[in-house]
Amino acid sequence: MGRQVAAFDWSRTSLGPMENWPAALRISVSNVLNSPFPAFVAWGPDLITIHNDAFRPILGMKPAPLGKPMAENWAEAWEAVSPFVEATMRGESVFFENHEVEIDRSGQMEKAYFTFAYSPLRDEEGVVRGLMDTVVETTSSVEAERKARIRNGELMHRMKNTLAIVSAIANQTYRSSQTVKEANERLLRRLTTLGNAQSVLMSEDHEAADIRAVVESSLAPFRQAIGQIKVEGQPLHLAERHVFSLALALNELASNAMKYGALTVPEGRVRLGWRTDGEDFVLEWRETGGPAVTEPASSGFGSFLIRSVLADDFNGEVTLDYRRDGVVCRLVTAESNLAFRRSAAHHDHAA
């Protein structure tokens, strides 16, 4: 910037030719130009600005500010900045850390954060004639800290929700089990399913997860033979509350199929599919080729997870039909109840 400052026609500004500048202005400009920190000098009644090389990145695509009034260079932010300038021109030093300012340096307004100090510049008689701004942009660090606070809040919220779910599952599992051994086995299976669902969420964006990833993690323990479980459906994302209830419901269906249904025999098959048609989201679990099915004399916590929890979390309807040729479970809810993003392609997969 030194060469640009020397070549600039200062006679067109209120500062006048450089050879007529007072010693205080010359010294201040020299200090700024030789500083490795972003800074500028604003001098005279118009506060004509002179910045250094380190200040350039802060300007972005702004028009060249050299030799222009400070109020013109920062017109969009002047209402917010001018009180600090006025205080400095009264002889006060001003310092702010991570101060938010809305500026336009790319053709559109943006929020930016700066740690800066305004220092009064005095002439040989001690009269304040201008100011020096030493500034560091902290936008990246401020946004990183804000995201960290949000993420920590989300983590605390998720931990509380998970503890509540675990507590409810544990209580209901022990109440509905005949023996401690049975209760322990059921609880371990259900908590493992929760853990897998949480892993899917953590591996993606923490707030939503791909339905196929949820399905795969839920059914992984039950894959005995290739092709026995077929999964098909369009790619979409589910909100967190949907992930846990769907994972638990699928785990219950697969567990029952392995104990009593289609997965008890090699020729048994399970087909799990889902679709959206612009109005409804439909998910169906269908077993075929297994032993004859009879409806249980009583329903336990597993049935409650499928019929009630799944339906409530999806704000839809769940039917569990114990047909003689195989269990059919169907979830129907309005597509608007889902928080998802479609991918570009449709995939079929046999497991």
Side-chain angles (χ1 to χ4, degrees):
M1 281 301 299
R3 292 181 180 178
Q4 293 183 37
V5 171
F8 193 85
D9 183 6
W10 294 102
S11 63
R12 294 184 298 144
T13 73
S14 59
L15 298 185
M18 288 187 68
E19 57 268 22
N20 296 334
W21 287 3
L25 175 56
R26 289 174 174 272
I27 293 171
S28 297
V29 169
S30 177
N31 289 338
V32 163
L33 293 178
N34 289 289
S35 174
F37 297 101
F40 69 80
V41 166
W43 186 277
D46 298 328
L47 291 176
I48 300 299
T49 58
I50 305 169
H51 63 279
N52 62 10
D53 288 317
F55 193 79
R56 284 178 171 177
I58 293 176
L59 295 169
M61 297 174 61
K62 273 185 167 294
L66 185 65
K68 295 179 182 177
M70 185 178 176
E72 180 181 334
N73 291 331
W74 302 100
E76 74 278 15
W78 192 246
E79 183 177 351
V81 172
S82 59
F84 309 140
V85 173
E86 292 169 0
T88 307
M89 296 305 290
R90 292 195 299 268
E92 304 173 21
S93 293
V94 176
F95 175 81
F96 280 96
E97 186 174 9
N98 298 330
H99 186 72
E100 178 183 321
V101 182
E102 289 195 16
I103 59 176
D104 178 4
R105 54 183 173 183
S106 61
Q108 60 183 8
M109 296 297 292
E110 62 176 287
K111 286 184 179 180
Y113 296 85
F114 301 94
T115 294
F116 64 90
Y118 283 174
S119 303
L121 296 177
R122 303 176 186 275
D123 62 14
E124 292 76 2
E125 297 178 356
V127 178
V128 176
R129 298 297 185 184
L131 62 84
M132 179 186 295
D133 175 25
T134 304
V135 59
V136 175
E137 181 167 2
T138 58
T139 302
S140 296
S141 60
V142 169
E143 290 179 348
E145 290 176 5
R146 179 173 295 175
K147 289 178 180 178
R149 287 196 299 270
I150 294 173
R151 187 57 54 86
N152 288 339
E154 291 175 351
L155 180 60
M156 290 299 296
H157 177 70
R158 185 169 289 115
M159 288 176 63
K160 290 179 181 179
N161 285 347
T162 302
L163 287 173
I165 293 172
V166 169
S167 177
I169 289 175
N171 289 335
Q172 292 295 333
T173 299
Y174 280 100
R175 286 180 184 176
S176 60
S177 300
Q178 299 299 317
T179 65
V180 173
K181 181 181 179 181
E182 179 186 36
N184 288 341
E185 291 175 350
R186 288 180 175 178
L187 182 60
L188 178 60
R189 173 171 55 80
R190 288 164 178 166
L191 293 184
T192 299
T193 300
L194 275 180
N196 291 340
Q198 184 67 57
S199 296
V200 172
L201 281 169
M202 294 297 289
S203 67
E204 298 196 28
D205 65 5
H206 303 271
E207 296 178 354
D210 180 72
I211 187 172
R212 183 170 294 276
V214 176
V215 168
E216 297 291 351
S217 67
S218 303
L219 299 181
F222 305 98
R223 293 191 179 116
Q224 302 298 313
I226 295 176
Q228 198 168 20
I229 303 175
K230 185 173 184 181
V231 176
E232 57 186 1
Q234 62 201 106
L236 57 85
H237 275 63
L238 298 177
E240 179 185 355
R241 67 182 184 280
H242 300 143
V243 169
F244 290 125
S245 57
L246 179 60
L248 288 169
L250 292 178
N251 187 269
E252 293 298 325
L253 288 166
S255 178
N256 290 336
M258 181 164 282
K259 291 178 182 178
Y260 316 110
L263 298 183
T264 62
V265 294
E267 61 271 21
R269 296 290 183 268
V270 172
R271 185 184 184 93
L272 174 64
W274 61 89
R275 61 179 173 80
T276 59
D277 59 11
E279 293 184 2
D280 293 330
F281 166 76
V282 180
L283 180 141
E284 184 178 85
W285 168 283
R286 182 179 293 272
E287 298 179 32
T288 57
V293 175
T294 57
E295 186 168 355
S298 60
S299 59
F301 183 55
S303 295
F304 173 75
L305 285 174
I306 298 169
R307 283 192 167 108
S308 297
V309 175
L310 185 64
D312 288 346
D313 283 351
F314 277 82
N315 194 26
E317 296 182 358
V318 172
T319 56
L320 187 56
D321 189 0
Y322 291 93
R323 299 179 184 179
R324 185 170 179 80
D325 60 343
V327 171
V328 176
C329 180
R330 185 179 174 88
L331 164 67
V332 180
T333 187
E335 189 174 318
S336 58
N337 290 330
L338 301 182
F340 70 89
R341 300 184 297 275
R342 275 200 191 93
S343 300
H346 175 91
H347 300 286
D348 288 347
H349 176 72

